[in-house]
């Protein structure tokens, strides 16, 4: 129908409901703010403790790796001081062979010990089973063979020979040695004279095993000109680095300035993932942690050694980097990574419990806030209604107080008296009108005559 107006129902919130909502909202705001600030404070304390702890662990881990290299260096110093080594008396020298075998037994991180001379002479003793199983299979020797001894004596003029010795240094087999091998062309020999302060060479692929590793070497200081060296295979770091990790998902690995991984608990798997580059080492990208590379670059640019980062899944990690002092110009570093939830799992769980308890406490105060809001809403509502009535001039419509009525009735005679008095005074002081004056003149003479 025309003229009909659709009435829209206006949504209104009651006064009491609004007051209660304000009180409950204030309690929630203050309570949740305090909970958030305490939660953030605990998080900051946890991260600070994690940063300090992982730095200490990284330093201890780097010291442990350095210790392995230092032990090898000490053995090289001892070996270079022996007269047979200084004089290149390496052929048929059983005492020298026994000493080299003892050094290899006492240093499980070593794969071999060898000495190269300026005239091309060379002696090398390897521990066969410290390389991959494929190395023993390629040698095609008896299982009793524990050491391989390679002799190239240019002084005696003998042909190169390779001997296989048992654990007791009893000869098991003998075959011709490598005729095309020249130690003077190898990186460990060349670099030893370029920078005698550097202990480490590599990593590179070893001639004997085809596996990557480092060579620790020092030049001979007396006697014949030459270099004493020992090889450390990268796969020997796997067990050592696995022991350094923090938590089930932690990781400790070695890398160099070229961002190549030179030591990892799963180095063989990482090497197998780059089959097209068998002579190279995997890059940091093989760890599948793209957030790690910027942290390492930041540390290299004198940034903080301990940093936090989150992976693609949002999991927070703490990382620390420490330099190995014995590696010299090779610049090998130890990096340690650990998820924060495993790093301080107990603290994280207790923090969550504390957060839940704080939320429960805030929830427990809601009934009190509801009651307080209801209590405050009653007088406030009455005050608002009275103020609204005054503003709308609705005082006459309000019910009168009986006490006010008694006061009005007692004051009414006095009010009437004052009103009458005011009327008389107005009549006395008001000027006489013309009609009254005419009346007085008309009736003046008859009154006089009658009188």
């Amino acid at each position: 129908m025309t003229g009909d107006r659709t009435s829209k129902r206006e949504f209104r919130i009651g006064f009491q409901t609004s007051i209660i909502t304000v009180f409950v909202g204030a309690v929630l705001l203050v309570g949740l703010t305090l909970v958030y600030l305490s939660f953030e404070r605990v998080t900051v304390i946890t991260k600070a403790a994690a940063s300090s702890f992982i730095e200490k662990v990284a330093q201890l881990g780097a010291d442990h790796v350095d210790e392995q290299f230092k032990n090898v260096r000490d053995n090289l110093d001892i070996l270079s001081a022996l007269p047979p080594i200084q004089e290149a008396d390496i052929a048929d020298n059983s005492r020298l062979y026994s000493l080299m075998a003892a050094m290899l037994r006492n240093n499980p991180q070593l794969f071999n010990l060898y000495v190269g001379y300026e005239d091309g002479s060379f002696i090398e003793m390897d521990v066969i089973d410290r390389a991959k199983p494929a190395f023993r299979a390629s040698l095609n020797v008896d299982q009793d063979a524990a050491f391989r001894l390679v002799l190239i004596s240019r002084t005696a003029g003998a042909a190169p020979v390779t001997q296989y010795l048992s654990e007791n240094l009893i000869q098991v087999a003998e075959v011709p040695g490598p005729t095309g091998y020249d130690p003077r062309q190898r990186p460990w020999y060349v670099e030893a004279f370029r920078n005698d302060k550097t202990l480490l060479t590599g990593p590179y692929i070893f001639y004997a095993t085809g596996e990557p590793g480092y060579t620790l070497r020092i030049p001979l200081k007396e006697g014949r000109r030459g270099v004493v060296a020992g090889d450390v295979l990268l796969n020997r770091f796997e067990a050592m680095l696995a022991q350094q990790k923090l938590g089930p998902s932690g990781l400790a690995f070695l890398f160099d300035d070229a961002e190549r991984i030179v030591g990892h608990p799963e180095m063989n798997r990482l090497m197998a993932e780059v089959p097209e580059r068998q002579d190279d080492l995997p890059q940091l990208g093989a760890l599948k942690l793209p957030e790690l590379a910027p942290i390492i670059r930041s540390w290299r640019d004198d940034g903080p050694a301990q940093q936090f980062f989150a992976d693609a899944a949002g999991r927070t990690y703490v990382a620390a980097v420490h330099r190995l002092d014995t590696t010299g110009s090779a610049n090998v570093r130890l990096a340690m990574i650990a998820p924060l939830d495993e790093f301080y799992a107990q603290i994280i769980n207790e923090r969550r419990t504390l957060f839940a308890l704080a939320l429960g406490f805030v929830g427990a105060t809601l009934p009190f806030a509801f009651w307080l809001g209801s209590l405050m809403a009653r007088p406030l509502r009455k005050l608002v209604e009275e103020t609204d009535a005054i503003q709308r001039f609705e005082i006459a419509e309000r019910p009168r107080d009986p006490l006010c009525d008694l006061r009005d009735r007692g004051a009414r005679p006095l009010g009437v008296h004052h009103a009458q008095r005011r009327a008389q005074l107005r009549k006395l002081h008001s000027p006489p009108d013309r009609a009254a004056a005419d009346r007085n003149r008309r009736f003046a003479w008859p009154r006089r005559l009658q009188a």
Side-chain angles (χ1 to χ4, degrees):
M1 295 177 62
T2 61
D4 292 347
R5 296 179 180 178
T6 58
S7 60
K8 295 184 179 179
R9 191 172 182 179
E10 186 178 357
F11 177 75
R12 293 183 178 180
I13 299 177
F15 185 80
Q16 184 175 1
T17 304
S18 61
I19 294 297
I20 294 174
T21 303
V22 170
F23 273 85
V24 173
V27 171
L28 286 176
L29 178 62
V30 174
L32 294 179
T33 301
L34 293 176
V35 170
Y36 174 77
L37 292 177
S38 61
F39 188 81
E40 285 297 315
R41 180 60 179 168
V42 173
T43 302
V44 171
I45 295 174
T46 302
K47 287 187 175 182
S51 178
S52 301
F53 183 73
I54 198 170
E55 164 62 16
K56 188 65 176 179
V57 174
Q59 182 178 358
L60 293 176
D63 292 341
H64 181 66
V65 177
D66 275 332
E67 184 181 358
Q68 306 298 318
F69 288 134
K70 289 178 182 177
N71 291 337
V72 175
R73 182 186 60 187
D74 294 341
N75 284 270
L76 295 180
D77 289 335
I78 295 174
L79 197 61
S80 64
L82 297 177
I85 295 297
Q86 295 176 356
E87 298 171 2
D89 185 12
I90 57 178
D92 297 328
N93 194 332
S94 58
R95 297 181 63 180
L96 177 61
Y97 306 157
S98 299
L99 181 60
M100 295 176 66
M103 289 181 175
L104 291 173
R105 293 191 189 100
N106 294 331
N107 294 274
Q109 71 274 16
L110 269 177
F111 169 66
N112 56 15
L113 288 171
Y114 49 92
V115 185
Y117 295 94
E118 189 177 20
D119 62 349
S121 299
F122 180 73
I123 179 175
E124 176 183 351
M125 178 174 283
D126 308 330
V127 182
I128 298 175
D129 291 332
R130 289 183 183 174
K132 293 181 179 180
F135 178 63
R136 175 179 282 274
S138 64
L139 297 179
N140 194 19
V141 295
D142 192 86
Q143 292 295 327
D144 294 337
F147 299 97
R148 185 185 70 159
L149 181 64
V150 179
L151 292 172
I152 302 176
S153 181
R154 306 296 184 188
T155 305
V161 63
T162 300
Q163 299 178 0
Y164 296 97
L165 309 176
S166 66
E167 189 67 30
N168 298 325
L169 301 182
I170 299 176
Q171 183 173 330
V172 176
E174 181 176 330
V175 296
T179 56
Y181 181 77
D182 188 352
R184 296 167 294 183
Q185 304 299 324
R186 301 299 296 168
W188 54 269
Y189 188 94
V190 176
E191 294 181 5
F193 296 104
R194 290 179 180 173
N195 185 5
D196 57 359
K197 296 181 181 180
T198 302
L199 178 65
L200 209 62
T201 298
Y204 62 97
I205 304 301
F206 292 149
Y207 177 85
T209 62
E211 298 181 39
Y214 278 100
T215 295
L216 287 83
R217 75 286 182 286
I218 58 173
L220 291 175
K221 299 178 181 179
E222 297 180 7
R224 301 276 296 273
R225 180 180 172 86
V227 177
V228 181
D231 290 341
V232 179
L233 295 175
L234 291 183
N235 60 10
R236 301 301 301 177
F237 287 106
E238 293 185 2
M240 181 176 60
L241 293 174
Q243 296 174 356
Q244 303 295 324
K245 70 175 185 178
L246 294 173
S249 303
L251 177 63
F253 64 95
L254 301 176
F255 67 96
D256 58 7
D257 275 346
E259 296 186 358
R260 298 180 301 176
I261 301 174
V262 299
H264 192 275
E266 298 179 356
M267 194 66 184
N268 292 328
R269 177 183 62 83
L270 295 179
M271 293 290 294
E273 292 178 356
V274 284
E276 69 278 2
R277 297 185 303 165
Q278 290 293 341
D279 294 340
D280 204 352
L281 297 172
Q283 299 289 322
L284 289 177
L287 299 177
K288 299 179 180 179
L289 288 173
E291 300 83 3
L292 183 61
I295 291 179
I296 292 177
R297 298 190 188 103
S298 174
W299 175 84
R300 190 180 293 124
D301 297 335
D302 297 331
Q306 310 87 32
Q307 297 190 31
F308 295 86
F309 67 94
D311 60 3
R315 194 178 189 186
T316 303
Y317 289 80
V318 57
V321 182
H322 206 282
R323 188 175 183 274
L324 302 181
D325 296 331
T326 56
T327 58
S329 60
N331 291 327
V332 179
R333 285 101 178 199
L334 173 68
M336 300 196 72
I337 306 171
L340 195 60
D341 54 354
E342 294 179 359
F343 194 65
Y344 279 121
Q346 184 177 359
I347 294 179
I348 296 297
N349 293 333
E350 291 180 356
R351 185 181 64 176
R352 293 172 181 171
T353 303
L354 179 63
F355 184 73
L357 291 176
L359 288 180
F361 177 76
V362 173
T365 58
L366 292 181
F368 175 76
F370 185 84
W371 173 79
L372 184 61
S374 302
L375 187 64
M376 295 294 294
R378 296 170 188 173
L380 289 176
R381 182 175 183 177
K382 188 175 181 180
L383 179 62
V384 170
E385 289 177 353
E386 292 180 357
T387 305
D388 186 66
I390 293 173
Q391 292 178 351
R392 294 173 181 269
F393 299 99
E394 297 176 356
I395 302 177
E397 301 178 1
R398 296 169 54 195
R400 298 181 60 84
D401 191 359
L403 183 60
C404 294
D405 293 339
L406 290 177
R407 288 195 300 265
D408 292 344
R409 284 195 297 269
R412 188 174 302 164
L414 181 61
V416 173
H417 173 73
H418 284 295
Q420 293 175 355
R421 184 63 179 171
R422 285 194 298 270
Q424 292 175 0
L425 291 175
R426 283 196 300 270
K427 185 180 290 185
L428 290 174
H429 293 282
S430 61
D433 55 352
R434 183 172 297 177
D438 291 341
R439 272 196 313 273
N440 292 333
R441 284 195 296 269
R442 276 196 307 268
F443 292 104
W445 286 105
R447 290 176 182 174
R448 292 176 179 175
L449 291 174
Q450 186 176 1

